Amino acid sequence: MSSEMITPAQTGAVQMQPTKTPGKWAQLWLDIKKNKVSYYFLAPFLILFTIFTIVPIIMSVVLSFSYYNIIETPRFIGFSNYKLLFVDDDIFLKAVGITLKFAIITGPIGYIMAFLLAWLISQIPQKFRFFYTLCYYVPSITSAVAMSVVWLYLFAGDRKGLLNHWLIQLGIINEPYLFLQNVDSIVPVIIIVSLWMSMGVGFLAFLAGLQNVPTDLYEAGSIDGVKYRWQELWYITIPCVKPQLLFGAVMQVVGSLTVFDVSMRLVGFPSPLYAGHTIMAHLFDYAFIRFEMGYASAIAVLLFALMLGLNRLIFKVLGRD
Amino acid sequence: MHKLNLRRIDYGGIFLYLFLTVFGLIMLLPLVYMAVTALKPTSELFLFPPRFFVVNPTLVNFRDLLLITGTSAVPFSRFIFNSVIVTSGIVVGGVLISAMAAYPLAKHNMPFKSAIFNMIVAALMFSPLVLQIPQYLLISRSGLMNSYFAMILPYLAAPMGMFLMTQFLRQLPDALLEAARIDGASEWKVFWVVVIPMLKPAISTFALFSFISAWNDPYPSMVYTTVQEMKTLPLAIQTISGGAGVVARVGTLAAASFLMILPTILVFILTQRMVLQTMAHSGLKE
């Protein structure tokens, strides 16, 4: 007991107490040995994860400080990649703006929509649920590549485009509108298509999580005076599915900030006047068209920092229990 | 369902169904359109005024697709076989490895637990595009090129699967685990007998998701293979159709896209059934 009381006071002078420091390490080692089963469970994941994710991430971060064109060996150039990004690369700054604009709209709307739809579906009897889940989830099963057939036709710029045709028939517009070429409509079109595809893994996690909420909690709630469905939602359901909400939010941030596929398939690459140019598009440009891997890595590191910052915020709000 | 719903068969309920149905059908429309396009003959593809539905459905697009593939040296079935092997490897292995990692991270107390968890969640956010070059270097240096391993191993340790399953385990009560431990079950047994059944909804959700992304991803076969026999379906289709936006093959491309999407819908139906069934007999609901 007494040694535990003293320890906090001694932290300032760790070096002075040679007998205490090994004690702490030995304690840690004992803890590790005691929990070795837990580490066995983790081992396969951690080994593969280290080889194929951690090592490549470290390599990318190191590369971001170098000039590397894949053929020659990397040359260390310090911070110039980052300097170039912020000072001289106007297109990058534009891409950041477009990505943020996109993320601010699709992020919250897609998230709330996914949760509300999952909640509504969980309100109806079991046997009907499957059909509705199918309706809402199938759009995100389809890959952007496959669906470009449909969207290109729907938004086509001439009168043969389905949307233009309908709008002209209804008398709303007189001549075809160039949805995919017009700088003003490019971002809205990408947003619409992304929202359509946005019932992703978050939606399914919500759905499964909602069904996991123990039924007796609702009974207890109705005894305690919960009358309306929204009260039930706010006081019982949401606290119960907090883990899934956190998961969904993190996935939503990652998804909204890495939008690229939809943009590339719909408005082409590079898009007219860079109107659909996102951070990911910029990264793709430098990584696989210009083969400047150092510069591309620097973009990736910045994107990573952006997401990490946003997710810190989310963890604070939805945080641990 | 719970009591509140049974008592109120009201306008709210009717409105709910109406809204869900109408909105759901709107969401399905583009997909219906794709299926319809795959059946359109060339004369109807570029009609003016444009028409949503097909008048004279034909299978000519599918025939074209098979004819084009028939001329290549490798039979089409080989691509399907490769895709099935790679995808099932990623799904089965990935689910098992992620579930094993999620269990101690959610339910055990050990040193470095939160550090490991935070690190894996953070890695979720690093752009996969930039990881591709270092991953390629690793694969090619280790001599794994042109093997199924090259297309499976890098995708096994999925941070998303681990994260999803950890979050589900956190939602579930510890009491069940304790009960099993008191009965003298080893951790390994607890994992198989208690944890895996409880995790079923998360497992099927993740299995579905990893199936979709593995099935649709042409990248691994594009980069990690150099011989024709090892290519997978998405890459094969991409090369056949000449890429998106080639006007002359809109119909064929629609047919190819349709064929690509079909298995994902089938897997969706299977896994969703599993989620709903698990829920119906869940141990949580006494």
Side-chain angles (χ1 to χ4, degrees):
Chain A
M1 278 311 280
S2 65
S3 70
E4 275 179 51
M5 309 283 273
I6 304 168
T7 327
Q10 285 175 331
T11 44
V14 183
Q15 297 299 351
M16 304 293 283
Q17 245 73 28
T19 43
K20 284 290 166 219
T21 326
K24 235 160 91 187
W25 288 112
Q27 186 58 46
L28 183 67
W29 181 239
L30 265 174
D31 264 4
I32 290 177
K33 275 220 295 225
K34 203 177 74 196
N35 289 296
K36 61 176 188 286
V37 182
S38 315
Y39 294 105
Y40 292 155
F41 272 102
L42 263 171
F45 188 94
L46 273 190
I47 292 168
L48 283 170
F49 184 71
T50 310
I51 297 175
F52 290 107
T53 308
I54 296 292
V55 172
I57 285 180
I58 294 171
M59 280 164 89
S60 300
V61 173
V62 171
L63 281 181
S64 76
F65 294 104
S66 71
Y67 175 83
Y68 180 41
N69 57 10
I70 297 185
I71 303 159
E72 300 167 61
T73 45
R75 197 174 68 239
F76 180 74
I77 52 168
F79 278 94
S80 20
N81 280 332
Y82 292 94
K83 215 169 77 194
L84 196 64
L85 261 182
F86 281 116
V87 181
D88 289 322
D89 195 344
D90 292 338
I91 296 170
F92 174 70
L93 294 180
K94 192 172 178 182
V96 172
I98 291 169
T99 308
L100 288 182
K101 196 160 85 182
F102 174 86
I104 286 168
I105 299 175
T106 51
I109 294 182
Y111 182 65
I112 292 170
M113 213 163 83
F115 179 74
L116 281 184
L117 281 173
W119 182 63
L120 287 178
I121 287 176
S122 75
Q123 299 289 304
I124 61 182
Q126 200 112 48
K127 55 187 168 190
F128 300 130
R129 279 183 207 169
F130 178 71
F131 170 72
Y132 291 105
T133 317
L134 182 80
C135 284
Y136 293 112
Y137 188 67
V138 158
S140 50
I141 286 181
T142 60
S143 63
V145 184
M147 289 314 289
S148 60
V149 187
V150 176
W151 293 111
L152 284 177
Y153 176 64
L154 198 64
F155 287 112
D158 48 24
R159 347 186 56 196
K160 284 183 181 160
L162 204 59
L163 202 61
N164 269 318
H165 177 71
W166 284 341
L167 288 177
I168 291 173
Q169 291 268 298
L170 289 170
I172 295 172
I173 52 174
N174 291 324
E175 51 187 44
Y177 187 79
L178 297 170
F179 289 103
L180 300 175
Q181 283 80 36
N182 208 315
V183 180
D184 299 322
S185 60
I186 283 179
V187 173
V189 165
I190 297 173
I191 287 177
I192 291 172
V193 175
S194 308
L195 279 179
W196 180 75
M197 291 175 70
S198 68
M199 300 297 137
V201 63
F203 173 68
L204 284 185
F206 295 153
L207 212 59
L210 284 168
Q211 308 199 38
N212 250 357
V213 177
T215 329
D216 35 344
L217 277 183
Y218 291 112
E219 277 153 24
S222 72
I223 292 166
D224 284 349
V226 167
K227 280 201 195 72
Y228 302 104
R229 246 179 243 181
W230 62 265
Q231 281 182 327
E232 202 177 67
L233 173 71
W234 190 254
Y235 292 113
I236 302 172
T237 315
I238 288 187
C240 277
V241 292
K242 245 187 181 173
Q244 281 82 20
L245 285 178
L246 179 66
F247 171 80
V250 171
M251 295 311 293
Q252 189 76 26
V253 167
V254 174
S256 334
L257 285 179
T258 52
V259 61
F260 169 50
D261 246 19
V262 178
S263 155
M264 182 167 77
R265 297 293 161 193
L266 284 181
V267 296
F269 179 84
S271 42
L273 289 174
Y274 288 105
H277 203 67
T278 61
I279 299 181
M280 272 308 256
H282 207 57
L283 200 164
F284 179 82
D285 187 4
Y286 278 92
F288 295 103
I289 293 176
R290 305 180 200 213
F291 289 107
E292 291 192 22
M293 287 314 293
Y295 198 64
S297 301
I299 299 173
V301 172
L302 283 176
L303 187 64
F304 181 58
L306 191 64
M307 286 194 214
L308 223 51
L310 265 175
N311 279 313
R312 262 280 154 79
L313 209 75
I314 287 172
F315 266 89
K316 275 230 172 83
V317 177
L318 289 169
R320 298 292 160 69
D321 314 311
Chain B
M1 270 321 286
H2 45 88
K3 272 187 181 163
L4 274 181
N5 274 335
L6 289 178
R7 242 188 282 140
R8 25 168 66 219
I9 303 164
D10 51 2
Y11 293 110
I14 295 168
F15 179 74
L16 177 73
Y17 277 108
L18 206 67
F19 171 78
L20 280 178
T21 312
V22 171
F23 199 55
L25 291 179
I26 291 175
M27 296 283 276
L28 274 186
L29 268 188
L31 211 73
V32 173
Y33 177 75
M34 187 174 75
V36 167
T37 308
L39 294 173
K40 278 182 183 169
T42 324
S43 58
E44 279 187 57
L45 275 173
F46 302 103
L47 263 189
F48 183 84
R51 205 181 280 149
F52 190 89
F53 287 107
V54 57
V55 181
N56 303 307
T58 130
L59 289 175
V60 77
N61 289 322
F62 292 94
R63 204 199 63 201
D64 281 356
L65 184 69
L66 290 177
L67 274 186
I68 304 166
T69 56
T71 56
S72 63
V74 181
F76 202 58
S77 51
R78 175 74 199 221
F79 299 134
I80 297 177
F81 175 76
N82 287 345
S83 261
V84 169
I85 293 275
V86 170
T87 310
S88 47
I90 292 177
V91 172
V92 175
V95 163
L96 191 67
I97 288 176
S98 301
M100 276 173 64
Y103 172 47
L105 286 177
K107 292 293 180 195
H108 287 178
N109 243 328
M110 65 207 190
F112 305 121
K113 184 173 96 163
S114 60
I116 293 173
F117 179 76
N118 288 338
M119 182 184 75
I120 297 174
V121 173
L124 192 66
M125 297 160 213
F126 204 85
S127 160
L129 268 185
V130 196
L131 296 185
Q132 285 171 356
I133 299 281
Q135 276 177 352
Y136 168 75
L137 291 176
L138 282 169
I139 294 281
S140 67
R141 292 281 157 81
S142 58
L144 283 174
M145 290 292 281
N146 285 323
S147 70
Y148 289 119
F149 284 115
M151 290 186 270
I152 294 174
L153 281 180
Y155 301 92
L156 279 185
M160 204 200 78
M162 187 287 303
F163 188 25
L164 178 72
M165 291 185 200
T166 313
Q167 295 303 84
F168 260 87
L169 278 175
R170 288 204 171 128
Q171 193 196 22
L172 299 168
D174 288 326
L176 281 169
L177 298 177
E178 284 307 320
R181 283 194 197 119
I182 288 168
D183 286 348
S186 67
E187 282 300 305
W188 186 242
K189 187 126 191 241
V190 171
F191 177 71
W192 281 109
V193 178
V194 185
V195 173
I196 289 282
M198 286 206 303
L199 263 181
K200 259 190 190 153
I203 288 176
S204 38
T205 303
F206 176 61
L208 171 65
F209 193 78
S210 93
F211 176 87
I212 292 166
S213 55
W215 182 260
N216 286 336
D217 191 3
Y219 176 81
S221 107
M222 195 159 75
V223 179
Y224 300 140
T225 64
T226 50
V227 290
Q228 200 64 18
E229 290 88 61
M230 293 300 290
K231 302 286 181 205
T232 56
L233 203 53
L235 186 69
I237 283 182
Q238 221 175 50
T239 33
I240 291 160
S241 61
V246 178
V247 180
R249 284 185 182 165
V250 170
T252 322
L253 188 59
S257 310
F258 184 71
L259 283 182
M260 278 279 297
I261 286 175
L262 219 54
T264 56
I265 292 181
L266 283 179
V267 172
F268 169 78
I269 291 172
L270 280 176
T271 53
Q272 268 325 92
R273 278 280 142 81
M274 199 165 128
V275 172
L276 293 177
Q277 267 168 17
T278 330
M279 289 307 154
H281 318 282
S282 164
L284 282 175
K285 299 196 172 167
E286 256 84 332

